[in-house]
Amino acid sequence: MNDQYQALYQTFRWLVPTQFNIAEACCHRWASSSPDARRIAIYYEDESGNREVWTFARLAEAANQLANGLVKMGVGRGDRVGVVLGQRPETVVAHMAIYSVGGVVLPLSAQFGPEALESRLCDSETRVAIVDHASSANLLAVSDNCPALQQIIGIGFADERVLPWRSLLARQPNEFKAVQTRSADPAILLYSSDASGAPKGALLPHSVLIGNLPGFVASQDWFPKPADVFWSPADWASTGGIMGALLPTLYFGHPIVGTRGRFSVERAFELLERYQVTNTFLAPSVVKMMMKAVPEPRHRYQLALRSIMSSGESVGETVFEWCQSALGVTPNEMFGQTEMNYVVGNSNKRWPARPGSMGRPYPGHNVAVLNEDGVPAAAGETGEIAVNRQDAHGYPDPVMFLGYWRNEAATQAKFKGDWCLTGDLASVDGDGYFWHAGRADDVFKSAGHRIGPGEIESCLIGHPAVANAAVVPKPDTERGALVKAYVVLTPEFAHRDRNDILENLQEHVRERLAPYEYPKEIEFVDELPMTTNGKIQRGVLRLREEERAQAPAANTDVGAPLVAPAQQPET
């Protein structure tokens, strides 16, 4: 094929206006034009199969009503508003309303347990939270522990502590004069997992949407085409769901499909067929499930799919080839982080996608692999992926986050000069393709979710049976990795039935954190490998899991004392 990469990369220039607002770009500009106002913005299905269609006009009207309500509550420029809703039209309404008043959206997963919600609401000093019935119990359980939280807006349930969504909007005018925001003003506060402890809040400006667009367009094989429809199961509270699906699709004035309910392969294919979805973002683990359940989908479904972006782990040759043969689509892998998303990837219609490769830096992003001296590594040499504050032409890259919420030390540690460090290792071949080589820290991916062991370990240690705990990834062909916990029991529980304790600990974590964070496997040990100053050596445990994966028939001696070969000094 014709490789257009160099021409595209070298000629690209950023056009970032001084004033920019995500709500104006993704909603109000379409609603202000009569023909465009009738465009479909959202196709929605709930768990029971009830369906709705939202035009940009309807979306803008509801957003204006909510914006008026938020202003009357005292929400203004820079104030945080929590959104705990999942994939539903009201989530989009909330985003647009909060941006319109100059506020900051705090996206919170509907899967979060009470402790995960409380830590983020308190740290961000969120003033208002919007929640539906699915997450109401967890939010209400901790609302009294969040001093800054003044108002909860509820959808689909009644509680004396909650202001009903419908009542609020019904009392408000459907016109609203949006606050003028600069492109550099804060818009989104997204918490990302951290291996050392509590998640950190990455503060993103309005301009971050512009920064994501080149990668989105390229990874979706030059989105949009006239009839393009987007769907992804990615959570609209995650970086992937917000920046890899929701906001870019609306920016281009095209419809996105939103659904509620548990993911299933059958429903996924039904959605692809029913809405004639052309573009999607699917984690590799999801594609693997679809491949195994329906090996020949085009024999059963009438599909319109033309492009797949995949991220979170390597697609691998088997899945890559299945997508090509069974779906007629070459998947485009993508790499990014909450702090600077959509920076490396493929675009098979414009440059060849190589199975297993992360791709090349997308136009507008200056990305390199740095060696230990902090300079770009030689071809084939492994180093840390880093993104420069400036693009290849010396202009600021709008994809960059503003910093960590009230954590200047963590912000400074994220940078080495003008290079923003990702913590991911890779090498670059002679043609400029990146090849992932693992994590530089302890954060890992499981079924597309970014997992930080610190929060899970803290939750486990909160159980009376646990004296100490370490969480590491266990290699898994389906999910990339499983969450595994090594647990040291307290003397009181040391001689009790291990099966009962195991189930109790899993339920303990499942109730408090997101379902994907609970340890699928727990190994009880007498002690953990530690450094001389008491830091857990997770690297020793990870290595053990990798060795076991390579020799699955070997005797793992589960339950035996686990110690490091020798105590190591802190590095």
Side-chain angles (χ1 to χ4, degrees), residues 278-512:
T278 56
N279 298 75
T280 186
F281 159 36
L282 300 173
S285 57
V286 171
V287 183
K288 290 174 186 176
M289 291 169 60
M290 297 170 74
M291 176 182 69
K292 291 192 173 184
V294 187
E296 297 180 333
R298 287 189 290 183
H299 290 179
R300 292 175 51 183
Y301 301 96
Q302 298 296 317
L303 303 178
L305 199 61
R306 72 173 186 87
S307 187
I308 300 173
M309 184 274 280
S310 194
S311 180
E313 60 201 58
S314 176
V315 168
E317 290 190 23
T318 301
V319 174
F320 188 93
E321 292 171 358
W322 178 80
C323 287
Q324 289 181 318
S325 62
L327 296 173
V329 176
T330 297
N332 291 316
E333 292 200 38
M334 183 277 285
F335 170 79
Q337 291 190 330
T338 301
E339 296 85 350
M340 57 285 186
N341 191 45
Y342 250 126
V343 291
V344 174
N346 284 307
S347 183
N348 190 61
K349 298 296 184 183
R350 302 300 175 106
W351 62 86
R354 297 182 178 177
S357 170
M358 302 163 66
R360 293 157 151 172
Y362 282 124
H365 308 300
N366 183 7
V367 189
V369 166
L370 305 183
N371 61 22
E372 292 182 353
D373 297 324
V375 298
E381 180 184 352
T382 298
E384 184 172 1
I385 304 170
V387 184
N388 204 285
R389 292 182 187 271
Q390 283 79 40
D391 67 8
H393 307 290
Y395 295 100
D397 187 342
V399 84
M400 198 67 63
F401 78 128
L402 296 172
Y404 290 117
W405 176 254
R406 296 180 179 173
N407 194 338
E408 183 60 26
T411 303
Q412 293 296 326
K414 186 72 174 173
F415 287 87
K416 181 175 286 187
D418 284 334
W419 291 103
C420 190
L421 306 174
T422 66
D424 283 83
L425 304 176
S427 62
V428 182
D429 64 22
D431 296 322
Y433 284 83
F434 282 58
W435 299 84
H436 198 257
R439 287 288 303 171
D441 58 19
D442 293 315
V443 173
F444 60 95
K445 295 281 182 68
S446 176
H449 297 288
R450 194 163 184 253
I451 306 292
E455 191 174 33
I456 304 173
E457 290 167 359
S458 177
C459 187
L460 283 168
I461 292 172
H463 191 282
V466 179
N468 205 350
V471 171
V472 296
K474 176 181 178 178
D476 180 77
T477 55
E478 294 292 330
R479 297 177 176 84
L482 295 177
V483 179
K484 175 165 182 179
Y486 283 86
V487 168
V488 179
L489 294 173
T490 59
E492 181 185 353
F493 286 81
H495 301 292
R496 297 192 185 183
D497 185 276
R498 298 294 174 89
N499 289 328
D500 289 344
I501 298 174
L502 185 148
E503 293 176 4
N504 195 278
L505 292 178
Q506 289 177 326
E507 188 63 22
H508 175 80
V509 177
R510 191 186 288 111
E511 289 177 351
R512 288 161 174 78

Side-chain angles (χ1 to χ4, degrees), residues 42-316:
I42 307 164
Y43 291 109
Y44 172 64
E45 286 192 14
D46 67 13
E47 303 94 322
S48 303
N50 300 310
R51 302 172 192 173
E52 297 179 24
V53 175
W54 283 60
T55 62
F56 279 97
R58 182 182 178 186
L59 176 61
E61 180 176 329
N64 286 339
Q65 291 172 320
L66 179 58
N68 280 304
L70 291 175
V71 168
K72 290 178 181 178
M73 293 177 192
V75 176
R77 192 182 295 272
D79 289 333
R80 280 74 60 205
V81 179
V83 180
V84 202
L85 294 177
Q87 286 194 7
R88 59 184 302 159
E90 291 86 353
T91 305
V92 189
V93 172
H95 272 258
M96 299 307 145
I98 297 163
Y99 301 138
S100 295
V101 304
V104 175
V105 176
L106 174 67
L108 295 167
S109 174
Q111 298 184 55
F112 280 153
E115 291 184 11
L117 289 172
E118 181 180 341
S119 66
R120 290 157 175 81
L121 290 168
C122 288
D123 184 66
S124 62
E125 297 183 348
T126 290
R127 294 188 60 182
V128 175
I130 306 172
V131 65
D132 62 13
H133 182 266
S135 304
S136 60
N138 287 336
L139 180 62
L140 292 173
V142 300
S143 60
D144 289 342
N145 301 331
C146 305
L149 188 60
Q150 300 172 357
Q151 183 66 66
I152 298 173
I153 302 170
I155 302 173
F157 70 99
D159 189 283
E160 60 182 9
R161 297 166 290 179
V162 172
L163 177 63
W165 170 279
R166 288 188 177 182
S167 299
L168 173 64
L169 267 62
R171 296 195 297 265
Q172 308 306 322
N174 57 18
E175 296 291 333
F176 180 79
K177 185 177 181 180
V179 171
Q180 294 294 309
T181 57
R182 297 175 303 161
S183 59
D185 285 345
I188 304 171
L189 181 59
L190 266 168
Y191 280 80
S192 58
S193 295
D194 185 287
S196 61
K200 300 189 295 290
L203 192 60
L204 309 178
H206 284 271
S207 60
V208 80
L209 173 57
I210 297 174
N212 275 263
L213 291 178
F216 179 82
V217 169
S219 73
Q220 293 297 337
D221 292 322
W222 255 244
F223 189 95
K225 304 293 185 185
D228 278 353
V229 177
F230 202 100
W231 169 74
S232 172
D235 190 349
W236 288 355
S238 68
T239 306
I242 295 171
M243 291 300 171
L246 179 62
L247 295 183
T249 301
L250 297 177
Y251 174 88
F252 288 110
H254 278 252
I256 188 166
V257 179
T259 62
R260 292 178 63 82
R262 191 174 183 85
F263 174 84
S264 72
V265 169
E266 181 179 2
R267 190 181 188 202
F269 278 117
E270 288 175 353
L271 291 169
L272 291 171
E273 180 181 55
R274 178 156 50 248
Y275 296 101
Q276 289 295 281
V277 172
T278 56
N279 298 75
T280 186
F281 159 36
L282 300 173
S285 57
V286 171
V287 183
K288 290 174 186 176
M289 291 169 60
M290 297 170 74
M291 176 182 69
K292 291 192 173 184
V294 187
E296 297 180 333
R298 287 189 290 183
H299 290 179
R300 292 175 51 183
Y301 301 96
Q302 298 296 317
L303 303 178
L305 199 61
R306 72 173 186 87
S307 187
I308 300 173
M309 184 274 280
S310 194
S311 180
E313 60 201 58
S314 176
V315 168

Side-chain angles (χ1 to χ4, degrees), residues 2-50:
N2 180 26
D3 188 345
Q4 304 173 35
Y5 177 78
Q6 290 301 330
L8 290 166
Y9 188 82
Q10 294 300 328
T11 58
F12 181 87
R13 296 293 188 278
W14 290 110
L15 294 174
V16 182
T18 302
Q19 288 189 329
F20 181 74
N21 185 281
I22 293 174
E24 172 62 25
C26 293
C27 175
H28 297 301
R29 67 178 172 129
W30 300 114
S32 63
S33 165
S34 295
D36 290 331
R38 293 191 295 270
R39 284 178 181 242
I40 295 172
I42 307 164
Y43 291 109
Y44 172 64
E45 286 192 14
D46 67 13
E47 303 94 322
S48 303
N50 300 310

